[in-house]
Amino acid sequence: MIEVTNLRLAKRREAVLLVGTALPALLLGLATPASAQERAAPPQEDPGSSSRVQEIVVTASKRAETLQDTPIAVSVVEAQEIERAEIQDLLDLQTLVPSLAIRQGQTSGNTNFFIRGFGNGQNAIGLEPSVGVFIDGVYRSRSAAAISDLPNLERVEVLRGPQSTLFGKNASVGVIAVTTRKPQFKLDGHVEASVGNYGLHRFEAYVTGPISDSLAVALGGNVNRRDGYVRDLGTGGRYNERDRWSIRGDILWEASSNVSFRLIADYDKIDENCCIVANLVEGPTGASIRALGGQFVAQDPYSYSVFYDIAPRNRIENYGVSLQGNVEFGFGTLTSISAYRHNAVDSQFDPDATNLKLFSTNTGQSEIETFTHELRLQSDGAGKLFDWMIGGFYFDERLKSGNDLLYGADYRPYLGRLLGNPAQVGMFETFAGVPSGTFAAPGQGISERSRQSNTAWSVFGNVDLHITDRLTASFGISYTEDRKNVSVTALSTDALAAANLDQLGYTATLRTLLAQRGVNLQNPASVGPFVAANPAIYGQIQQQALATALGTANPFNALRALQFFPPFLNLPNAVEDGRSRDHSTDFTVRLAYELSDRLSVYASYATGFKASSWNLSRQSRPPSALLVPGNPVVDPVTRQVLRATPSSPVTSAGLYSTNLAPGTRLASPEDAEVYELGIKGTFDNLAFTFTVFNQTLKNFQTTVFTQNGFVFANAAKQSTFGVEVDFRWSPLDGLFFTGGATFLDPVYDSFPNFGPGIDISGQQPQGVAEIQFTLGSSYNFSIGRLDAFVRADWQHIGDSPFLDNPNEAAAVAAAGYSREQNLVNMSVGIKTPGQFAVSLWARNLLDDRYIVFASPALAQAGTFNGAPNQPRTFGVTVRKSF
């Protein structure tokens, strides 16, 4: 482990040395002409010349500035590029932004965003994302509230690195900021229809125009439907379909020349049979499933075929309203953004991914109501000495969630197969003295319900000090306070998981030892006189039986791995209040220098923060400081307590129950910091950004999958040294090349407590590729009176580990699966003078195949399932604008 860490440190030192020697020389060479210009009169541009690379205006710093003048690592995708690339939602957006990775999990709402390899929020509603998503300035607290089809867009900005200073909630690694087009004071709009393979039919309409001289409105909506590309060979059903629609209304009131209000209301709904996982690695349990008549498609995920007994389903409802007001004063602008959001999710999927009825029910529900308000006052940006901004952000959210996971009719015989004897479960019931059919009965399992109230507020300020006409120093600071109150209840009806195997093992061993002496434990007339006459010998027998019961020779040890849903300690309780209160002060310091009117450099340091995330599932357990585990063992003859549950606050409060084990209730607050050095240039036919950064997360919040759920954990330190390049180049009129690349050296610097006896310090984090890039080209030309275009893009994401557990990752990799992806997308279109347009398009044109994610299968030790990527899609889009 030390050798791996030292090797990575050496690689970083070499990279830093390379950049440190090459960058100053580059800057010196670029700056020399600028110095000569400054000594002479500034050259005048040729009035007849025109720039083929247009300036892009962004609001990454919450102030409208050109991309060139914004000393922040930000990627921008504008409306025309999104339209021509057939980008429908944020999941598609990653093909245009090299530092952005987006992965969809086993439900439509389980979508995770990663920037520079950092990100989380997977598989657990209580684990808030580290990438903040803002749509028209409104924070979307969960990915399920941000995955709908994108509305009528103006641009999408991806801000890389901690943004906690200006963005008030969960922006510790970056921000995705979506800006939609405002209503216009002239009639404008379009209607659009698309058809494609897998039965795609998509419709969209948008209209905007004036109601009066001061009031403009816009109304838009879309319907997006497509058949599933995965077939259930048993039922004939189709999964991984698209079935969603949305409507959005927008009102702009310009009350006066310096006062305006914008009211937005939207509603969208998703009702899809999605999403599947397929078998990647068949473990030893596969034979048991087949022996019971079960079926699954073994180790062939790209067949896009499954056998399920529970159809995957996702129903997501989103709606909300926001009001933004702007008041311009002589010195600056006051902005207020208030919003209410509602998100509801109802989902189910087949947890064992076979058509065997191991589980009869696996449903999850959540409902989230969120109110946010931001108020900021900022200067007009024309200050000669300095510009400034002050503001505050308030967040209030109420969350409810539930999950039911119940055994099916095949679960009991499946356990018998795993134990090597179909009658073994019944034999165990007989010995335990319970009625036949008690253990692993259909309908047993666990039901969870949780609630969380979260209030947070922050105040922030930023000052840009213009030291000279070309040198600007920026200082930002924010203070954030975050409070959460949670309750988690879970009712386990799993009789086997409630059995005290230590006690049963003791009794069984005691019976054997006494039988060797001719004593029948079940006959009081036999055992009573023996104990009375031989107290010393019986004491020795007790200790021998106890040692066996607590050791590896316990005859019931094979059942421990099958105790999936043990009794749960509800939260709050007498020793846990279910509350957290976190606060943080974060900073941004930045120095920007214009080498010329076209070239600038910057250096920055920034910190970020994310508050505690509570585990709202059945894997929420009291910490080891409050609970020392240990089931009691009582001699059945003397009633002597041979082993008492160890003393702990939980036990002292009378809260201990059989098989209760310690764990984690929450993931502690996450802190981020980044050192960054960048250069930006904008010329007539070329614009580029080059960034070098070193980003670190302390107490990185993550999840660790066990056999029956997700445990929350903190990696003490995760870091990435990286280099990023973005460019836009137009060598000829109408011909454009765009692209970017991200080179990372990601590592868990310290993660010693990943799991029992597992230290993954020095290891590459799962899902974080070392190389990721996008390359795109487009050509605009004319055919008579027709405007035409052809465009293509290629996204490459390198391979990376599927899992953080090294043994599990090795098992999946050994089967030959890869996360490397090479997606090629292409489109070609024409537009008439009458604003009628037709385009042909294809996504994943070369039908690249890769696995999006992998995880251990539930109740199937040694088996791994995963999700194959979406195959090639293609179609035609017809659009009429007016």
Side-chain angles (χ1 to χ4, degrees), residues 9 50 62 78 96 108 129 163 190 230 330 353 391 396 409 505 532 547 618-619 685 775 780 786 799 863 875:
L9 291 174
S50 62
K62 297 198 174 181
E78 295 189 291
L96 302 180
S108 299
Q163 306 294 329
H190 67 266
V230 177
D396 190 338
R618 57 184 173 271
Q619 284 295 340
N685 61 355
L775 293 174
N780 304 324
L786 301 177
D799 199 10
T863 293

Side-chain angles (χ1 to χ4, degrees), residues 7 91 137 146 179 219 284 343 376 471 524 535 592 599 649 656 797 804 849:
L7 179 59
L91 190 64
T179 302
L219 181 65
N343 171 256
R376 66 177 184 268
L471 181 62
L599 197 64
Y656 183 83
I797 298 180
D804 281 328
R849 304 292 177 89

